[in-house]
């Protein structure tokens, strides 16, 4: 079982030091959050809180995940980075492929792409895309990304995206894994059908266990049961050495943790101390 450090809501001037400390402590990856902007009012409800409200505000710090990965990659050598998760709907996949290609190359192929549809209509509308049909567009967008990132001269003609022959160089030396986020049945089917893994938002252990079991059924139906598949989980009610062992037993391969939660604005030294305690109490014993 691997561990990823969740850096959401941390001040941006802490990120480079946290990346170095996480690498020293044996974390496998850093999970990069995505938020394009904070709209004063929103038509949507945040799907991962009981009341649908956002748990951050207009002053909460966010970094572009590609910029953050490149910056943290420059001061580390082994730790990986993945988006958890990037909102596909507001973004054009051709432009997105250029960003992914660059980050994968600049970090020495230490980058993975976690994707989701996005929940905020404003993020889609104000970035120039319709909020409707975002599932169908996401399927095509993932096809486009895989095609371009695979290298060579390629073309694509779908319902939502279309282009003649183009090439982006250099292609990543290794395939960029694509992890699919979301708890809905369509999201799970998408992960099982085309993903290299599935990434959860905040979930209780019982719900996580049933979701992982459902994914196994869907992957078997898609003929992909024997292929490698990551389960990246944010479990909110199993902690400590025994708790992470329980997560591993139900199939979690990558536990996303925030050792200083809920003190997201804690001083850097306090966060580094929390990382080292977690490494001593959990990572070193699993």
């Amino acid at each position: 079982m691997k561990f990823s450090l969740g850096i959401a809501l941390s001040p941006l001037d802490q990120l480079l030091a946290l990346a170095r400390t996480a690498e020293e402590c044996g974390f496998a990856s850093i999970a990069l959050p995505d938020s394009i902007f904070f709209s004063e009012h929103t038509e949507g409800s945040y799907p991962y809180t009981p009341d649908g409200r956002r748990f951050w505000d207009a002053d909460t710090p966010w970094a572009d995940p590609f910029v953050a990965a490149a910056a943290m990659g420059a001061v580390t050598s082994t730790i990986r980075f993945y988006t958890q998760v990037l909102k596909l709907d507001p973004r054009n996949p051709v432009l997105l492929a250029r960003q992914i290609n660059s980050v994968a190359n600049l970090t020495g192929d230490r980058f993975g792409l976690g994707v989701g549809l996005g929940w905020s209509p404003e993020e889609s509308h104000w970035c120039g895309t319709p909020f409707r049909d975002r599932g169908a567009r996401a399927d095509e967008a993932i096809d486009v990304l895989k095609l371009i990132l695979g290298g060579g001269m390629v073309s694509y003609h779908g319902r939502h995206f279309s282009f003649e022959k183009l090439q982006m160089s250099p292609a990543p030396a290794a395939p960029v894994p694509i992890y699919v986020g979301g708890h809905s049945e369509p999201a799970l089917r998408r992960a099982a059908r085309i993903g290299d893994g599935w990434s959860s938002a905040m979930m209780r252990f019982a719900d996580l266990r049933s979701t992982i079991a459902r994914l196994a059924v869907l992957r078997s139906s898609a003929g992909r049961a024997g292929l490698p598949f990551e389960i990246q989980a944010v479990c909110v009610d199993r902690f400590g050495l025994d708790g992470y062992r329980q997560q591993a037993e139900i199939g979690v391969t990558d536990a996303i943790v925030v050792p200083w939660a809920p003190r997201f604005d804690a001083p850097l030294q306090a966060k580094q101390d929390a990382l080292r305690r977690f490494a001593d109490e959990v990572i070193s014993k699993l």
Side-chain angles (χ1 to χ4, degrees):
M1 185 174 182
K2 300 177 293 186
F3 291 92
S4 290
L5 174 64
I7 59 163
L9 316 188
S10 285
L12 305 194
D13 60 3
Q14 296 181 352
L15 298 187
L16 302 191
L18 289 175
R20 287 191 294 263
T21 303
E23 184 174 78
E24 294 166 4
C25 289
F27 281 82
S29 305
I30 290 178
L32 303 161
D34 179 40
S35 179
I36 300 175
F37 53 76
F38 185 93
S39 55
E40 184 175 9
H41 303 289
T42 180
E43 297 175 9
S45 296
Y46 184 66
Y48 305 116
T49 55
D51 59 4
R53 296 183 181 179
R54 295 168 283 187
F55 58 85
W56 63 97
D57 60 27
D59 295 319
T60 300
W62 299 88
D64 179 280
F66 298 107
V67 175
M72 290 187 285
V75 299
T76 57
S77 58
T78 60
I79 198 165
R80 295 182 58 81
F81 308 93
Y82 59 82
T83 52
Q84 207 269 335
V85 293
L86 188 87
K87 299 166 185 176
L88 272 182
D89 195 54
R91 293 174 164 96
N92 179 283
V94 178
L95 292 173
L96 186 56
R98 175 77 280 169
Q99 293 175 288
I100 298 166
N101 192 316
S102 298
V103 173
N105 277 286
L106 289 172
T107 59
D109 294 302
R110 290 186 282 144
F111 184 77
L113 182 71
V115 297
L117 300 188
W119 63 273
S120 168
E122 289 77 18
E123 283 190 322
S124 293
H125 295 159
W126 298 348
C127 289
T129 61
F131 194 62
R132 65 184 184 278
D133 296 333
R134 62 193 187 281
R137 286 202 314 280
D139 288 340
E140 282 196 18
I142 293 171
D143 288 342
V144 168
L145 292 173
K146 289 184 175 182
L147 186 66
I148 295 176
L149 294 172
M153 192 68 66
V154 299
S155 62
Y156 184 87
H157 299 286
R159 177 185 173 190
H160 301 283
F161 305 105
S162 182
F163 53 85
E164 301 297 337
K165 287 188 176 181
L166 59 80
Q167 181 170 335
M168 293 186 185
S169 298
V176 175
I178 295 180
Y179 313 117
V180 177
H183 298 176
S184 68
E185 180 70 9
L188 298 181
R189 290 185 178 277
R190 183 174 294 111
R193 188 178 72 252
I194 60 177
D196 297 299
W198 170 75
S199 195
S200 86
M202 298 169 289
M203 294 186 80
R204 293 190 175 277
F205 182 80
D207 295 331
L208 184 60
R209 178 171 52 197
S210 61
T211 300
I212 293 172
R214 178 60 179 159
L215 280 164
V217 172
L218 293 172
R219 292 183 62 231
S220 179
S221 298
R224 304 184 71 227
L227 298 177
F229 193 80
E230 292 283 336
I231 300 289
Q232 301 164 345
V234 183
C235 185
V236 299
D237 59 354
R238 290 293 189 279
F239 305 106
L241 187 58
D242 289 342
Y244 290 110
R245 282 175 174 160
Q246 291 175 47
Q247 291 189 44
E249 288 170 359
I250 64 171
V252 173
T253 62
D254 187 343
I256 301 170
V257 300
V258 185
W260 49 80
R263 293 190 59 213
F264 298 105
D265 60 348
L268 174 61
Q269 186 62 58
K271 291 181 177 179
Q272 291 174 312
D273 291 344
L275 287 173
R276 295 184 179 106
R277 284 195 301 272
F278 187 89
D280 289 341
E281 295 170 4
V282 179
I283 295 179
S284 66
K285 293 180 170 61
L286 280 176

